[in-house]
Amino acid sequence: INTSLTTVNRTKDLLRQMRMDRQIKILDIIKDKKEVSIKDMISLIKDCSEKTIQRELLSLVASGVLNKEGERRWSRYALAIR
């Protein structure tokens, strides 16, 4: 049981790291471009799905890091602090 618990914890740590890496990549792009849409992001981030990028952007909005303007496919994302 202890071995499988260790494996689960390592997997969780890996997933957290992957998420942080994606969010850092997203923030770096937004810092450079000032404002982006999900379509902009999927053309620049090739290693994850559009839905994953959308979830990450919404998570960053919910945490107050990004502002979202517009609805649906017209949504634009920018840093909350400029």
Side-chain angles (χ1 to χ4, degrees), residues 51-81:
K51 196 66 179 170
T52 298
I53 293 170
Q54 183 179 22
R55 280 191 293 267
E56 295 293 2
L57 287 167
L58 291 175
S59 173
L60 290 165
V61 168
S63 65
V65 176
L66 296 180
N67 288 330
K68 176 184 172 190
E69 295 180 21
E71 295 298 321
R72 299 190 189 111
R73 60 183 175 177
W74 296 280
S75 297
R76 306 285 299 167
Y77 299 86
L79 292 176
I81 302 171

Side-chain angles (χ1 to χ4, degrees), residues 2-65:
N2 195 18
T3 303
S4 62
L5 186 58
T6 302
T7 302
V8 168
N9 286 337
R10 285 184 184 156
T11 302
K12 285 181 179 180
D13 288 344
L14 178 62
L15 291 173
R16 274 189 213 101
Q17 186 61 48
M18 288 171 62
R19 183 168 193 193
M20 286 190 327
D21 290 347
R22 274 195 307 268
Q23 288 183 348
I24 290 168
K25 192 182 293 187
I26 287 168
L27 291 173
D28 285 344
I29 290 168
I30 294 173
K31 283 179 195 173
D32 182 51
K33 301 226 176 256
K34 307 299 182 224
E35 187 179 82
V36 297
S37 68
I38 291 173
K39 295 294 181 191
D40 296 332
M41 297 304 287
I42 61 172
S43 69
L44 298 168
I45 300 176
K46 303 290 186 191
D47 58 345
C48 60
S49 70
E50 178 176 348
K51 196 66 179 170
T52 298
I53 293 170
Q54 183 179 22
R55 280 191 293 267
E56 295 293 2
L57 287 167
L58 291 175
S59 173
L60 290 165
V61 168
S63 65
V65 176

